[in-house]
Amino acid sequence: MNCLYTKGNREEIISSRLASVQVLQEAILKSNNPPQVCIQAGSLAIFGDTTEICHEDSDHGTGFSVDVCERWEAAFFKDEWPHTRKVLLRIGFALGDNGGALGPLQRLAKFNLGGTIGSGRQYISWLHMDDLNEMFVQAIENEQYDGIYNATGPNPVTNKEFMKTLRKVMNKGWAPPAPAPFVKLGAYIIMRADPSLALTGRKCIPKRLQAEGFQFRHTNLEGALRDIID
């Protein structure tokens, strides 16, 4: 959903999610040899913009992104798939070495622009790609996995802390903050993306994964970033 939320883009975002679920469902239900499990990607954005701790059963937020997530999840779980176990991973801010969510922030830090974004109090629920990949493996191989999981690390941090740690790992010193009005202007004019992607956040924990005994390889942000960037 990294775009401006025009009427056309909103309609395309919603239809792409719902249509893909419908196509998968039709294929699985018609299959003579249906898969034992189907894993659906979801988003932690369903919790909206909040600093409260969010686990799988926490209240949802409000706004367009929340509405998309709710409709997406409802479509996935609407009908019974008799021979296929359903797992939905609400994926957080995944950190990897091939761009992705981390790429734009690395570029800002590279040019000494990696300061606090907005208030800096918005939370980033991050996880290392190694852990995300293992979550998919476990969801496939472990039949206990069923339903909705927050696919994020156990230690979310504020944007201020995240950017400070990123600068440290990249051997960058202080960088000027980016006040909310400038972020909004840059988002609309330069990045052509909705500014809420940078100015909002949520403090999510992987309660169900931890209850099922999932072992995280990366729980410290600095260590995770050094593993990726160094």
Side-chain angles (χ1 to χ4, degrees), residues 198-214:
L199 296 174
T200 63
R202 51 216 59 92
K203 188 179 182 180
C204 301
I205 59 171
K207 183 178 178 181
R208 289 199 65 200
L209 284 171
Q210 290 176 310
E212 305 235 357
F214 185 87

Side-chain angles (χ1 to χ4, degrees), residues 1 3-15 17 45-46 48 61-71 194 196:
M1 293 189 280
C3 64
L4 290 175
Y5 291 161
T6 62
K7 183 176 184 294
N9 284 342
R10 287 173 184 252
E11 292 174 352
E12 185 174 348
I13 288 169
I14 293 173
S15 64
R17 271 67 174 176
I46 198 167
T62 58
F64 173 68
S65 294
V66 175
D67 181 55
V68 172
C69 292
E70 289 180 335
R71 295 177 65 179
D194 192 277
S196 65

Side-chain angles (χ1 to χ4, degrees), residues 100-118:
L102 183 59
L105 300 184
Q106 280 185 270
R107 289 193 289 273
L108 288 175
K110 179 180 179 180
F111 294 104
N112 298 311
L113 297 173
T116 299
I117 298 175

Side-chain angles (χ1 to χ4, degrees), residues 93 95 99-111 113-115 117 124 159 162-163 166-167 170 191 198:
F93 195 83
L95 306 178
L102 183 59
L105 300 184
Q106 280 185 270
R107 289 193 289 273
L108 288 175
K110 179 180 179 180
F111 294 104
L113 297 173
I117 298 175
I124 295 178
N159 172 271
F162 188 98
M163 298 308 296
L166 179 61
R167 294 195 305 272
M170 294 181 66
M191 299 181 68

